[in-house]
């Protein structure tokens, strides 16, 4: 099949999922065409079945806001025609599902029927998409997609509630490639001294990630045991989060790695992963930690309980309950038997989300949808 993938090319989870899906589809013999405004960070352009088509936004000074959706729709039309694509799979509804609808209409005018699959990822539904200024357009473009998937049951329910829609939504959870973690070396722990625990956190440092809670949890842990906190990712709350570390007097034990491509390596050196978000449709970072055999201390919001299982693969607390998260962290770190048990369970749970189990679900869906539009 010839598949067009539209996503954000940045470090965000939806772009990572889209890119890894594209690689897996390419490996299975499909021709995969990425249509984005810059090369996705994890894209291996040397892969023989992978192609990249850049969306060029012509900047005109009259516009305060450049019309990205128009350029995206036009690039989708161009790529569908020139590469004879069978399907467009757009990740994150805003504005991708809307631009795909327009592309589909333009192509229809030219006698070409293209199928559009939209995958909902999170804040496109739970935060941004439900803003009154976007809601009608997001609801319309979801309802006019040929098929819609959500990355968790929780996100599916939020979509139905926020958009009051009867559109069928298939849950296809996010995935990891477990083989990437199996081969990683766990012995070297360059990030900390031998007698220190390694606690990690990855996010886009947005307010909903509650990175101040990350700091407070770590400060609580640090009071009782020797540890280092490793932070990965970047975003608007970065500076104030690092300043908060200073205020808490834990600055020397916090290492900020920024946008690193060493995520798996760092996770494999970790003892505990923190994800105290106030909203999370899935929590891909938690799943990545679990694949690295790391127990997760998280909140119980959104789709996180579908990934991290309370008292089995880690612990879940109410949003903002920093004290409980500190207590649970210390329970794990000071009890080697419990830590070992949780990390084995985390790994076993992560295996259920292995790419091998999830990608065929997308392939099945593509076959169904293309079959419908081609008849
Ligand atoms: O929704 C966002 O904030 C961004 C989005 C992204 O592109 O990173 O994250 C969402 O999608 C991820 C991949 O499906 C999920 O693992 C994240 O839980 C989800 N983020 C939120 O729901 C906040």
């Amino acid at each position: 099949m010839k598949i067009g993938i539209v996503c954000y090319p940045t470090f965000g989870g939806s772009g990572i999922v889209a890119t890894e899906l594209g690689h897996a589809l390419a490996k299975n013999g499909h021709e995969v065409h990425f249509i984005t405004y810059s090369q996705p960070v994890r894209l291996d352009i040397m892969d023989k079945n992978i192609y990249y088509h850049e969306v060029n936004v012509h900047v005109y000074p009259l516009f305060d806001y450049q019309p990205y959706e128009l350029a995206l729709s036009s690039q989708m039309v161009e790529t569908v025609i020139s590469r004879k694509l069978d399907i467009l799979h757009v990740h994150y509804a805003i504005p991708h599902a809307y631009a795909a609808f327009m592309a589909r209409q333009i192509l229809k005018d030219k006698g070409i029927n293209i199928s559009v699959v939209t995958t909902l990822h999170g804040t496109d539904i739970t935060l941004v998409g439900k803003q009154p200024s976007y809601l009608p357009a997001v609801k319309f473009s979801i309802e006019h997609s040929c098929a819609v998937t959500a990355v968790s049951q929780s996100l599916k329910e939020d979509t139905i509630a926020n958009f009051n829609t009867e559109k069928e939504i298939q849950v296809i959870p996010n995935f990891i490639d477990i083989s990437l973690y199996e081969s990683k070396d766990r012995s070297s722990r360059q990030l900390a001294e031998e007698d220190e625990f390694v606690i990690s956190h990855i996010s886009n440092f947005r307010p909903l990630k509650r990175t101040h809670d990350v700091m407070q949890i770590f400060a609580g842990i640090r009071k009782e045991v020797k540890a280092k906190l490793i932070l990965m990712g970047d975003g608007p709350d970065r500076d104030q989060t690092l300043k908060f570390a200073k205020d808490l007097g834990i600055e020397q034990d916090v290492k900020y790695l920024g946008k690193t491509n060493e995520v798996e390596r760092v996770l494999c050196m970790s003892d505990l992963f923190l994800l105290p978000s106030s909203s999370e449709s899935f929590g891909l970072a938690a799943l990545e930690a679990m694949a690295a055999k790391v127990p997760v201390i998280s909140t119980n919001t959104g789709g996180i309980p579908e990934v991290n299982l309370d008292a089995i693969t880690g612990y879940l607390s109410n949003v903002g309950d920093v004290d409980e998260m500190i207590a649970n962290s210390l329970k794990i770190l000071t009890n080697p038997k419990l830590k070992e048990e949780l990390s084995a369970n985390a790994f076993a749970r992560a295996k259920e989300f292995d790419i091998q189990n999830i990608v065929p679900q997308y392939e099945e869906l593509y076959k169904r949808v293309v079959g419908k539009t081609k008849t």
Side-chain angles (χ1 to χ4, degrees):
M1 221 176 257
K2 295 184 177 187
I3 304 157
I5 291 188
V6 178
C7 64
Y8 282 103
T10 51
F11 271 87
S14 62
I16 303 287
V17 168
T19 309
E20 300 299 352
L21 175 62
H23 281 141
L25 291 166
K27 218 189 225 168
N28 289 356
H30 301 283
E31 197 176 292
V32 182
H33 295 261
F34 281 85
I35 305 169
T36 64
Y37 59 81
S38 71
Q39 259 191 47
V41 285
R42 288 203 198 168
L43 188 67
D44 178 5
I45 201 66
M46 303 301 277
D47 197 322
K48 87 174 188 334
N49 284 331
I50 298 267
Y51 300 84
Y52 167 62
H53 309 268
E54 193 156 296
V55 179
N56 287 308
V57 183
H58 177 81
V59 178
Y60 188 61
L62 174 72
F63 306 140
D64 277 343
Y65 306 99
Q66 307 301 324
Y68 174 64
E69 291 85 335
L70 252 64
L72 178 57
S73 293
S74 299
Q75 187 59 58
M76 286 188 204
V77 168
E78 201 283 314
T79 312
V80 168
I81 295 174
S82 64
R83 302 309 180 106
K84 298 190 170 47
L85 300 189
D86 298 300
I87 194 159
L88 284 170
H89 185 178
V90 304
H91 290 259
Y92 202 89
I94 306 170
H96 302 150
Y98 192 74
F101 172 79
M102 282 313 300
R104 203 162 160 238
Q105 293 307 110
I106 298 167
L107 288 161
K108 216 177 243 170
D109 240 28
K110 297 175 186 292
I112 299 170
N113 240 329
I114 186 81
S115 311
V116 173
V117 172
T118 297
T119 290
L120 309 172
H121 278 273
T123 49
D124 45 351
I125 298 304
T126 56
L127 193 73
V128 193
K130 69 177 187 187
Q131 298 303 319
S133 49
Y134 296 128
L135 192 142
V138 176
K139 177 176 159 78
F140 177 89
S141 45
I142 289 173
E143 289 180 339
H144 285 77
S145 298
C146 305
V148 178
T149 75
V151 298
S152 65
Q153 181 61 28
S154 150
L155 185 60
K156 172 179 174 169
E157 286 162 17
D158 283 343
T159 310
I160 294 168
N162 293 349
F163 294 92
N164 187 24
T165 182
E166 286 173 11
K167 180 76 182 176
E168 195 186 325
I169 300 173
Q170 183 181 348
V171 175
I172 303 185
N174 286 333
F175 53 85
I176 33 88
D177 182 349
I178 208 87
S179 66
L180 293 180
Y181 295 85
E182 278 168 334
S183 56
K184 283 278 179 303
D185 175 21
R186 265 156 234 283
S187 55
S188 127
R189 306 219 326 160
Q190 295 126 314
L191 293 165
E193 299 301 324
E194 265 313 300
D195 60 345
E196 288 177 323
F197 289 110
V198 175
I199 319 293
S200 52
H201 169 78
I202 312 171
S203 75
N204 49 21
F205 287 74
R206 292 183 191 279
L208 58 79
K209 300 292 177 180
R210 295 183 68 101
T211 45
H212 272 53
D213 286 4
V214 171
M215 284 303 164
Q216 279 179 312
I217 298 165
F218 179 68
I221 294 172
R222 184 66 199 86
K223 244 189 217 164
E224 303 299 326
V225 295
K226 285 183 160 187
K228 285 274 188 292
L229 174 65
I230 312 299
L231 298 169
M232 290 167 277
D234 199 1
D237 284 357
R238 181 201 58 196
D239 289 346
Q240 39 163 304
T241 303
L242 295 176
K243 177 171 179 306
F244 191 45
K246 236 184 218 174
D247 299 342
L248 290 169
I250 51 171
E251 189 194 3
Q252 70 289 353
D253 290 322
V254 175
K255 277 193 186 173
Y256 174 68
L257 304 188
K259 289 179 179 174
T260 171
N261 276 327
E262 298 289 344
V263 168
E264 290 117 30
R265 225 171 117 213
V266 174
L267 288 175
C268 286
M269 294 175 192
S270 303
D271 295 290
L272 203 61
F273 184 80
L274 306 179
L275 192 67
S277 312
S278 60
S279 161
E280 203 71 68
S281 71
F282 184 88
L284 183 62
L287 179 61
E288 290 180 323
M290 287 160 60
K293 302 188 174 166
V294 182
V296 173
I297 294 292
S298 71
T299 48
N300 51 17
T301 188
I304 300 181
E306 295 172 47
V307 181
N308 185 23
L309 306 178
D310 194 36
I312 297 175
T313 60
Y315 289 99
L316 290 89
S317 302
N318 291 333
V319 174
D321 195 344
V322 167
D323 290 341
E324 188 178 280
M325 289 188 257
I326 294 170
N328 285 335
S329 301
L330 289 169
K331 186 152 81 181
I332 298 172
L333 297 175
T334 57
N335 185 339
K337 197 164 164 279
L338 175 68
K339 182 167 173 280
E340 203 175 303
E341 201 179 293
L342 295 178
S343 66
N345 293 344
F347 184 61
R349 175 79 179 144
K351 273 187 178 166
E352 294 173 30
F353 296 88
D354 184 37
I355 197 162
Q356 309 273 11
N357 302 329
I358 309 298
V359 172
Q361 297 183 39
Y362 280 115
E363 288 176 301
E364 275 304 309
L365 175 65
Y366 296 162
K367 265 191 231 152
R368 256 190 348 256
V369 170
V370 170
K372 260 191 212 158
T373 39
K374 294 278 186 236
T375 49

